[in-house]
Amino acid sequence: MASFISIISELEDGLEDLEEQLLSPEQTDMPGIENIQQYRRNFRVIKKCILPLKEEISKLLHTTDNDLLHKASRPFFNDVNDHLQFVLQTLDGCRDMISALVDIYLSNNDRMDEQHHETVDCCFYYIYSVDFSSRNLGNELPMDA
């Protein structure tokens, strides 16, 4: 069974790989927005699992007259609370990275659209700038009478 920390670590590694692909000058295998959305969905699922757990552990620890928690087990629950806090902070960093990846993806698409439009504009300029009137079209072969 995987721990939350190992799951978050895999999520971070995947986001870093995706960032490298998006920032790569070689545009051969560009990830799509679907890849980023999959990470966003995973992020939400993990956060939905951790937040209620963190809230309940915090309630348990901050209740002064608690018969459920023995003094000897308090350090264990403090460690659990610290780990959950670490995971939530790491998730916030992942959320920021996902937002940055969406921005990078959108800027890459804008840049590619601009390059496409520049190429099309250049082709139209060339076609319209050629002077066909001075050419003797259709009379390349001498006519023998």
Side-chain angles (χ1 to χ4, degrees):
M1 184 165 119
S3 69
F4 283 123
I5 293 175
S6 63
I7 293 170
I8 297 299
S9 178
E10 288 177 24
L11 181 67
E12 280 183 309
D13 292 343
L15 287 171
E16 289 172 3
D17 292 343
L18 196 59
E19 181 182 36
E20 285 178 20
Q21 290 175 353
L22 284 170
L23 294 175
S24 171
E26 301 163 358
Q27 303 292 330
T28 55
D29 191 25
M30 282 292 289
I33 195 71
E34 306 84 28
N35 300 84
I36 300 170
Q37 287 299 103
Q38 184 61 45
Y39 281 102
R40 184 173 288 187
R41 282 189 289 277
N42 291 344
F43 162 79
R44 286 184 188 144
V45 167
I46 294 168
K47 194 163 186 175
K48 283 181 183 178
C49 291
I50 293 176
L51 278 177
L53 185 59
K54 171 75 171 117
E55 289 172 9
E56 293 305 315
I57 292 285
S58 292
K59 285 180 192 175
L60 186 64
L61 287 173
H62 296 336
T63 306
T64 54
D65 56 340
N66 189 347
D67 295 335
L68 295 174
L69 193 61
H70 193 272
K71 285 184 180 182
S73 49
R74 205 168 209 19
F76 169 76
F77 284 100
N78 280 329
D79 282 346
V80 170
N81 190 43
D82 291 344
H83 286 306
L84 290 172
Q85 185 62 39
F86 172 76
V87 169
L88 285 173
Q89 289 173 346
T90 306
L91 276 175
D92 285 341
C94 289
R95 184 196 64 221
D96 295 341
M97 187 177 250
I98 290 170
S99 295
L101 290 176
V102 169
D103 292 341
I104 291 170
Y105 175 81
L106 293 174
S107 70
N108 280 350
N109 279 348
D110 288 346
R111 186 170 33 103
M112 291 176 75
D113 284 346
E114 282 178 17
Q115 289 173 350
H116 176 72
H117 288 297
E118 287 173 4
T119 303
V120 170
D121 290 345
C122 182
C123 290
F124 280 124
Y125 175 77
Y126 177 75
I127 289 171
Y128 287 116
S129 66
V130 174
D131 183 16
F132 291 107
S133 63
S134 65
R135 298 197 180 202
N136 207 1
L137 298 176
N139 295 328
E140 289 84 11
L141 298 173
M143 300 285 280
D144 290 337

